[in-house]
């Protein structure tokens, strides 16, 4: 995405304030299971994960195939991003044998709130998934289409203190997911990132950014249109504690930039050419799509509509109607996580209509008596 260059990042990095640790977790959420316990091929592949991790056979697993014709369009409250435009003091890139992930020390810890989330979520780490070639590699699919690569930015709910503890709560984590598409030119925002991949070819190698990028520089510009659903980690232990937010607009990288990821090696020294889990059944879950279109919801239980000129201005997108929407259903209530979020009350009969019908019948009977 277009953004400030190295000089702007250096300026942001030098801003004052008390330094906070944005992530002390040297191990990623992906590494809560021991590295040798899973892989993407053979006896350690995804089809065998459930043999050691019961959660991997759960009914609300990720990734999924999102059918854009079956999603429920909603107007959720705006997502609130804090610290995404501040360059970290220090950023490290690490190959853990399953992916390459990024941790950072920052003066301002990035957080996200709003949208489908209840509470504030704090940055833990980000990592990538890719495939053997440019025709597949992402984990979630849109209309049966796989993208060549996918970025996952992992956040834990602040009240749970850290990502590991958050695994014990149904609303413990949220993942901001971004898809990649192939472009004819290199993306300059990923230039140093791609260069550092050459220094972490082998598993457990790390490298440090000379000019750490802000999160804003690594993601897409459109943060309004996204799909969201309740799911799981996509690696063991496959805990079903993740609110997924998949942004519609892809990030653009060149073929050469994506190809650099395929040069990394796994735990056994083999080329890490693909590291994505197959899609899982959607089950009884409902995928929401956040849009800026006005979603008109009529409450059939109401006797009369409000008079014109009173109440909310339905011509404005930033009215309370938009904020109420489906988001007011508290999708993050643990008691509601496993149930479809598009349930609606059975329409009731308007008693004004019944009264009108009764009056007509009485009138006809009275007339027939007179005749």
């Amino acid at each position: 995405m277009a953004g400030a260059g190295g000089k702007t990042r250096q300026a942001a990095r030098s801003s004052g304030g008390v330094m906070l640790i944005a992530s002390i977790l040297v191990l990623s959420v992906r590494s809560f299971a021991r590295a040798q316990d899973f892989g993407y091929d053979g006896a350690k592949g995804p089809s065998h994960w459930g043999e050691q991790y019961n959660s991997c056979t759960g009914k609300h697993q990720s990734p999924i195939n999102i059918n854009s014709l079956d999603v429920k369009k909603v107007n959720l409250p705006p997502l609130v991003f804090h610290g995404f435009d501040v360059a970290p003091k220090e950023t490290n890139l690490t190959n853990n044998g399953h992916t390459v992930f990024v941790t950072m020390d920052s003066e301002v810890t990035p957080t996200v709130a709003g949208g489908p989330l209840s509470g504030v979520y704090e940055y833990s780490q980000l990592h990538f998934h890719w495939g053997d070639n440019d025709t597949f590699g992402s984990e979630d699919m849109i209309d049966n289409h796989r993208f060549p690569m996918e970025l996952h930015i992992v956040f834990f709910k602040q009240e749970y203190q850290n990502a590991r503890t958050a695994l014990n709560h149904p609303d413990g984590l949220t993942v901001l997911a971004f898809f990649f598409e192939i472009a004819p030119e290199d993306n300059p925002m990923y230039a140093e990132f791609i260069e550092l991949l050459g220094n972490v070819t082998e598993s457990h190698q790390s490298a440090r950014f000379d000019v750490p990028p802000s999160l804003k520089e690594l993601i897409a510009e459109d943060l309004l249109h996204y799909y969201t659903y309740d799911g799981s980690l996509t690696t063991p232990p496959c805990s079903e504690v993740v609110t997924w937010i998949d942004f519609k607009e892809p990030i653009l990288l060149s073929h050469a930039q994506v190809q650099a990821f395929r040069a990394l090696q796994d735990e056994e020294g083999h080329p890490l050419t693909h590291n994505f889990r197959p899609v899982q059944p959607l089950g009884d879950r409902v995928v929401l799509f956040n849009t800026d279109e006005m979603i008109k919801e009529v409450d059939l239980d109401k006797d009369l509509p409000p008079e014109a000129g009173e109440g909310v201005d339905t011509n404005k997108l930033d009215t309370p109607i938009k904020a109420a929407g489906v988001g007011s259903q508290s999708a993050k209530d643990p008691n509601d996580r496993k149930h479809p979020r598009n349930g609606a009350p059975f329409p009731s009969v308007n008693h004004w209509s019944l009264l009108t019908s009764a009056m007509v019948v009485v009138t006809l009977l009275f007339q027939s008596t007179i005749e």
Side-chain angles (χ1 to χ4, degrees):
M1 64 181 279
K7 292 183 179 179
T8 303
R9 295 202 296 265
Q10 289 174 324
R13 186 176 60 179
S14 62
S15 60
V18 179
M19 184 178 74
L20 298 175
I21 303 301
S23 177
I24 301 297
L25 301 173
V26 177
L27 297 177
S28 69
V29 170
R30 303 172 54 79
S31 305
F32 287 142
R34 287 180 7 188
Q36 64 270 27
D37 286 343
F38 77 94
Y40 290 93
D41 295 297
K44 295 182 180 180
S47 62
H48 295 279
W49 292 353
E51 297 168 7
Q52 295 187 59
Y53 304 95
N54 292 333
S55 295
C56 294
T57 60
K59 295 183 178 180
H60 298 94
Q61 290 289 289
S62 298
I64 61 171
N65 175 49
I66 297 173
N67 186 335
S68 62
L69 298 179
D70 290 339
V71 301
K72 180 176 182 180
K73 291 185 177 181
V74 293
N75 299 136
L76 293 174
L79 285 169
V80 180
F81 303 92
H82 176 69
F84 275 56
D85 57 348
V86 178
K89 177 179 180 294
E90 180 179 312
T91 298
N92 292 290
L93 184 70
T94 301
N95 175 356
N96 69 353
H98 301 300
T99 185
V100 59
F101 69 93
V102 173
T103 55
M104 59 179 68
D105 292 346
S106 181
E107 295 174 349
V108 179
T109 304
T111 62
V112 61
L117 305 174
S118 174
V120 179
Y121 286 73
E122 183 174 323
Y123 177 83
S124 174
Q125 50 89 3
L126 64 84
H127 61 264
F128 299 82
H129 299 270
W130 59 89
D132 301 80
N133 57 63
D134 294 343
T135 64
F136 58 90
S138 67
E139 295 207 301
D140 277 335
M141 301 170 66
I142 307 294
D143 296 326
N144 296 307
H145 170 69
R146 280 198 189 275
F147 300 82
M149 196 163 74
E150 185 174 343
L151 164 64
H152 291 166
I153 309 180
V154 183
F155 295 76
F156 63 88
K157 197 168 186 178
Q158 274 189 340
E159 65 182 84
Y160 303 141
Q161 305 299 319
N162 58 62
R164 188 181 297 274
T165 304
L167 289 179
N168 299 318
H169 302 272
D171 60 347
L173 302 175
T174 188
V175 176
L176 306 186
F178 294 87
F179 302 110
F180 289 84
E181 288 282 22
I182 302 299
E185 303 293 334
D186 287 349
N187 183 336
M189 294 296 102
Y190 275 80
E192 185 178 4
F193 197 110
I194 300 302
E195 182 180 348
L196 284 182
L197 289 179
N199 297 333
V200 296
T201 302
E202 298 179 6
S203 179
H204 302 304
Q205 288 185 322
S206 296
R208 182 178 300 177
F209 282 80
D210 289 332
V211 183
S214 66
L215 286 182
K216 182 179 179 181
E217 293 175 279
L218 297 177
I219 63 179
E221 291 184 353
D222 180 3
L223 302 177
L224 172 63
H225 299 90
Y226 59 82
Y227 302 95
T228 180
Y229 71 96
D230 292 330
S232 71
L233 297 176
T234 60
T235 60
C238 307
S239 307
E240 295 181 347
V241 298
V242 182
T243 300
W244 284 90
I245 301 178
D246 292 7
F247 293 92
K248 184 177 180 181
E249 182 185 26
I251 303 169
L252 300 180
L253 291 184
S254 69
H255 165 76
Q257 288 180 311
V258 176
Q259 187 69 18
F261 286 83
R262 301 177 186 127
L264 300 180
Q265 298 176 7
D266 63 16
E267 285 276 332
E268 300 175 352
H270 300 143
L272 187 57
T273 54
H274 58 278
N275 61 352
F276 60 92
R277 186 188 191 188
V279 294
Q280 306 296 303
L282 179 62
D284 62 357
R285 290 174 289 179
V286 175
V287 179
L288 307 181
F289 177 66
N290 190 59
T291 176
D292 51 352
E293 299 175 9
M294 176 53 65
I295 308 300
K296 186 176 181 181
E297 296 186 2
V298 179
D299 188 347
L300 297 178
D301 289 329
K302 295 294 183 181
D303 292 338
L304 292 173
E307 295 294 332
E310 297 182 0
V312 230
D313 182 358
T314 56
N315 292 317
K316 296 182 180 179
L317 292 179
D318 56 350
T319 61
I321 283 183
K322 177 178 180 181
V326 175
S328 63
Q329 298 178 8
S330 186
K332 296 308 114 196
D333 184 342
N335 295 322
D336 296 334
R337 284 182 58 85
K338 307 310 177 188
H339 300 283
R341 292 183 280 181
N342 66 344
F346 190 84
S348 60
V349 180
N350 190 310
H351 71 262
W352 290 105
S353 299
L354 292 176
L355 179 60
T356 302
S357 300
M359 292 177 63
V360 171
V361 172
V362 171
T363 302
L364 292 175
L365 292 173
F366 180 74
Q367 290 177 346
S368 63
T369 302
I370 293 177
E371 293 175 355

